[in-house]
Amino acid sequence: AMRYAAAELESDREVVLEAVRQCGDALQFASEELRCDREVVAEAVRRGRCFGHSPLQYADAELRRDRELVLEVVQRQGAGLRFADEELRCDREVVLEAVRR
């Protein structure tokens, strides 16, 4: 539904949070500001993908370096590792979690 929402609602935190609670992929329609919001991105990760995308791919680069968040992603979907920061793709524990999925 976020795809069809008015552009100004892409920055409405309440609307975006509800959207990512329904489908993590809705993060792709959020404003850049909300893609930097750890809580919004974490909600998207918890809900997971609906259309085959990892919510992490839409997150801000800084959050792709967030080890705790990336661990949560790969524990749910190992393939989400490809959207993590390069340093975390070299982290033994993160990679182990990813290959276990």
Side-chain angles (χ1 to χ4, degrees):
M2 279 297 297
R3 173 183 308 189
Y4 307 109
E8 62 269 8
L9 294 177
E10 294 173 353
S11 297
D12 185 309
R13 193 169 190 276
E14 182 180 1
V15 170
V16 171
L17 267 171
E18 188 57 37
V20 299
R21 285 180 180 132
Q22 302 303 312
C23 175
D25 292 341
L27 186 62
Q28 68 186 294
F29 303 109
S31 67
E32 288 297 319
E33 177 185 345
L34 291 177
R35 291 181 192 201
C36 297
D37 184 314
R38 192 180 193 290
E39 182 184 357
V40 171
V41 173
E43 273 301 320
V45 166
R46 285 184 201 105
R47 175 57 182 106
R49 60 191 185 154
C50 302
F51 305 113
H53 305 284
S54 171
L56 191 61
Q57 82 183 85
Y58 305 113
D60 180 73
E62 185 174 327
L63 290 174
R64 292 179 188 203
R65 289 188 291 271
D66 183 316
R67 189 171 189 276
E68 182 181 320
L69 186 64
V70 169
L71 273 169
E72 191 169 347
V73 168
V74 299
Q75 287 168 348
R76 295 171 187 278
Q77 176 197 12
L81 180 64
R82 72 181 174 154
F83 301 110
D85 182 76
E86 184 177 348
E87 184 177 317
L88 291 176
R89 291 193 314 261
C90 296
D91 181 305
R92 186 176 190 280
E93 182 183 357
V94 171
V95 173
L96 269 174
E97 284 297 325
V99 297
R100 288 179 178 147
R101 305 292 173 241

